[in-house]
Amino acid sequence: MQSFLHLPIKNSDFGNILHITDTHLFANDNNQLLGVDSNASFLSVMDEIKSLKKQYDLIVATGDFVQDGSKEAYSLFAKQIQKLNTPCVWLAGNHDNYAYMQIIFKDYQLAENKVVLLGDNWLLILLNSQVVGQAYGYLSDLELAFLRKTLENYNDRYALVFLHHHAIESGCHWLDQHILKNSDQLKNIIQNYPKISGVGWGHIHQNQMHSWYGCKAFSTPSTCVQFKPASYEFNLSLEAPGWREIKLGKDGEIQTDVFRINSNQFQPDLSQNGY
């Protein structure tokens, strides 16, 4: 049975979620991903979030936490997230070591809750789309059955689903080779469960928003390097690191905005052709 978290909301009108993704951290500071010091860019994102002094009910972190596969990099993420004093749920990306995540995050009280009951009206479900050793994603039969069962168990609530991999083509040919390979199966569930109001992911290091069979489907920028939209081949963007804020209304409405750090000091090496 999947563990679940039941949280109250601080604002009587809406639930407020912070979505962070694709931090790509290193054990040692000053290491770079495509010319960007990803540890420093993550810390800048965290500093800016703290400076805004907003209250969140929940943090959702959707994978690719580390770039070097180290336990130390997972610890860096967990230590910083703890400073926000907000419950955090998480899932694995294609770059992640799932076993390390379970060990390290448990030490920092980042529990592995894949179901969150938020307030009286919302259900959040986190799915594991990781395929070990591959960049693309896939939802196993067990994961799809878990999604259906959870939706049935809480059919009085509006639902927001998170995974790492993009389920809709991004418009970047090179990225779309690493899409969720069985997105049609996820689509079929969305069509059959109209209370699914939204689906969110990371992976593509871009801000995108779609309308997908009656729900909002969106991607969130990375806290480090951004990928250039509408690029056939690998290409980097000069956009700053960012995060997403999601507001969940009582009637199933989702309002969401992307924010970026004010400084654009984290410029990638545009000569790079892959990673």
Side-chain angles (χ1 to χ4, degrees), residues 1 38 45-46 60 66 95 110 115 122 128 145 194 221 225 246 263:
M1 181 178 177
S38 55
V45 166
M46 293 297 293
V60 178
V66 309
H95 283 271
L110 302 186
V115 177
W122 280 93
N128 183 3
V225 178
I246 305 164
S263 168

Side-chain angles (χ1 to χ4, degrees), residues 55-262:
Q55 284 195 323
Y56 298 103
D57 300 300
L58 181 70
I59 302 165
V60 178
T62 51
D64 281 4
F65 293 90
V66 309
Q67 182 63 23
D68 62 359
S70 69
K71 292 181 179 179
E72 292 82 2
Y74 287 114
S75 293
L76 170 62
F77 177 86
K79 286 176 184 176
Q80 291 300 317
I81 287 296
Q82 274 194 331
K83 293 179 181 180
L84 295 179
N85 295 314
T86 301
C88 177
V89 292
W90 51 269
L91 51 82
N94 52 289
H95 283 271
D96 285 314
N97 183 315
Y98 187 51
Y100 282 1
M101 294 170 73
Q102 291 175 301
I103 294 168
I104 300 299
F105 289 170
K106 184 178 180 181
D107 288 344
Y108 288 91
Q109 291 78 53
L110 302 186
E112 189 178 3
N113 294 299
K114 302 306 183 188
V115 177
V116 181
L117 306 180
L118 187 60
D120 296 325
N121 300 296
W122 280 93
L123 164 69
L124 277 67
I125 304 172
L126 278 69
L127 301 176
N128 183 3
S129 59
Q130 184 192 61
V131 179
V132 176
Q134 301 294 336
Y136 64 80
Y138 192 86
L139 293 172
S140 70
D141 289 344
L142 283 175
E143 206 70 4
L144 292 166
F146 156 65
L147 174 59
R148 292 190 192 92
K149 184 66 174 177
T150 305
L151 290 165
E152 290 166 3
N153 287 345
Y154 302 101
N155 60 15
D156 58 331
R157 290 174 174 261
Y158 297 104
L160 175 57
V161 177
F162 287 96
L163 66 163
H164 177 71
H165 292 85
H166 58 306
I168 300 173
E169 288 188 351
S170 68
C172 295
H173 173 77
W174 72 273
L175 271 173
D176 291 338
Q177 297 175 73
H178 311 307
I179 198 169
L180 181 74
K181 293 296 186 181
N182 60 336
S183 62
D184 280 351
Q185 290 179 276
L186 178 59
K187 177 194 72 176
N188 290 339
I189 293 174
I190 289 169
Q191 289 176 305
N192 288 321
Y193 291 88
K195 281 208 164 184
I196 299 177
S197 296
V199 184
W201 52 74
H203 191 52
I204 63 173
H205 294 225
Q206 294 175 23
N207 169 26
Q208 292 196 359
M209 177 66 69
H210 307 269
S211 179
W212 197 36
Y213 298 97
C215 73
K216 289 184 176 178
F218 50 84
S219 63
T220 294
S222 164
T223 64
C224 58
V225 178
Q226 312 305 311
F227 298 146
K228 188 174 182 179
S231 298
Y232 186 85
E233 296 180 342
F234 182 89
N235 212 336
L236 300 175
S237 168
L238 298 179
E239 291 178 294
W243 66 96
R244 182 179 289 279
E245 183 179 290
I246 305 164
K247 294 184 184 297
L248 305 178
K250 292 179 179 179
D251 59 356
E253 180 187 6
I254 295 177
Q255 298 178 12
T256 180
D257 291 295
V258 160
F259 299 86
R260 299 182 188 270
I261 60 173
N262 290 322

